[in-house]
């Protein structure tokens, strides 16, 4: 921070720190209490994470405040594109037959004043966590029983080791 301030860059800086999932409670002994569950679980301990934003770009009225709006990890790309003033459309993905980038721009929640974009004014009203879990407003639906590990073992996986969690690696899109 001091270095950015000394270079007169702090006022144009936005720092975002976020996790992608709760801690792994089985192998590494993480404690996500008072939330139940952990990594690879659809329970709150596996999906609700801490995050924070800081920097001179954050309006004074928003600094030190708490935001309870839903922001999905997929929304960060759309948000950063909007802040940078670039289009989030991916022509290469479209040419490969992939669906459009999925994300909601939340730049107003971060960079507008509390009066212009108060907490609770976010555009995301639901989060689709997994094949069997959805949160909408204050309600969460989990269908089926709790699985020990929601993953498939794939010894020949090219990326990410032998565990491929409900996804496939798309070959031919490396360029």
């Amino acid at each position: 921070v001091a270095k950015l301030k000394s270079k007169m860059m702090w006022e144009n800086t936005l720092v975002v720190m976020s996790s992608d999932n709760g801690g792994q409670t089985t192998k590494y002994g993480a404690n996500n209490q008072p939330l139940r569950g952990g990594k690879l679980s659809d329970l709150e301990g596996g999906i609700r994470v801490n995050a924070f934003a800081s920097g001179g770009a954050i309006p004074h009225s928003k600094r030190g405040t708490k935001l309870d709006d839903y922001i999905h990890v997929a929304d960060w790309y759309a948000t950063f594109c909007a802040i940078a003033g670039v289009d989030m459309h991916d022509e290469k993905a479209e040419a490969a037959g992939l669906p459009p980038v999925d994300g909601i721009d939340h730049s107003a929640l971060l960079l507008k004043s509390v009066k212009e974009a108060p907490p609770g004014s976010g555009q995301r009203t639901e989060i689709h966590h997994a094949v069997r879990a959805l949160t909408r407003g204050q309600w969460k639906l989990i269908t089926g029983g709790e699985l020990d590990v929601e993953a498939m073992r794939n010894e020949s996986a090219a990326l990410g080791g032998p565990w491929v969690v409900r996804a496939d690696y798309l070959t031919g899109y490396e360029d």
Side-chain angles (χ1 to χ4, degrees):
V1 172
K3 191 63 147 177
L4 289 168
K5 286 182 178 179
S6 73
K7 293 188 172 274
M8 308 298 282
M9 297 170 68
W10 180 248
E11 293 307 312
N12 294 320
T13 298
L14 173 65
V15 177
V16 175
M17 299 293 283
S18 179
S19 180
D20 62 345
N21 52 252
Q24 186 172 2
T25 57
T26 53
K27 186 174 180 181
Y28 299 108
N31 183 343
N32 299 315
Q33 291 186 8
L35 306 175
R36 289 189 319 146
K39 184 174 183 161
L40 299 178
S41 167
D42 291 326
L43 299 172
E44 292 299 287
I47 58 170
R48 187 187 297 183
V49 298
N50 291 318
F52 73 87
S54 182
I58 304 282
H60 288 280
S61 65
K62 289 255 173 118
R63 296 178 188 179
T65 63
K66 180 180 176 186
L67 184 67
D68 288 322
D69 293 75
Y70 292 129
I71 298 179
H72 191 277
V73 69
D75 297 333
W76 288 119
Y77 182 74
T79 302
F80 294 147
C81 284
I83 292 169
V86 298
D87 184 7
M88 71 176 198
H89 177 79
D90 186 342
E91 292 176 12
K92 198 171 193 181
E94 183 180 21
L98 297 173
V101 174
D102 183 18
I104 296 174
D105 170 19
H106 293 288
S107 58
L109 286 174
L110 299 171
L111 303 179
K112 300 278 185 182
S113 70
V114 170
K115 186 176 180 180
E116 295 172 294
S121 64
Q123 298 177 51
R124 183 170 290 285
T125 59
E126 63 187 35
I127 301 258
H128 182 216
H129 304 289
V131 169
R132 63 188 194 105
L134 173 76
T135 297
R136 184 170 196 171
Q138 67 177 356
W139 301 101
K140 182 173 186 181
L141 172 67
I142 301 177
T143 61
E146 184 175 352
L147 303 177
D148 289 337
V149 177
E150 294 182 358
M152 300 175 294
R153 183 95 171 143
N154 181 349
E155 296 292 344
S156 62
L159 297 176
W163 292 99
V164 181
V165 183
R166 298 226 186 268
D168 292 315
Y169 175 68
L170 298 173
T171 59
Y173 196 69
E174 292 86 4
D175 295 337

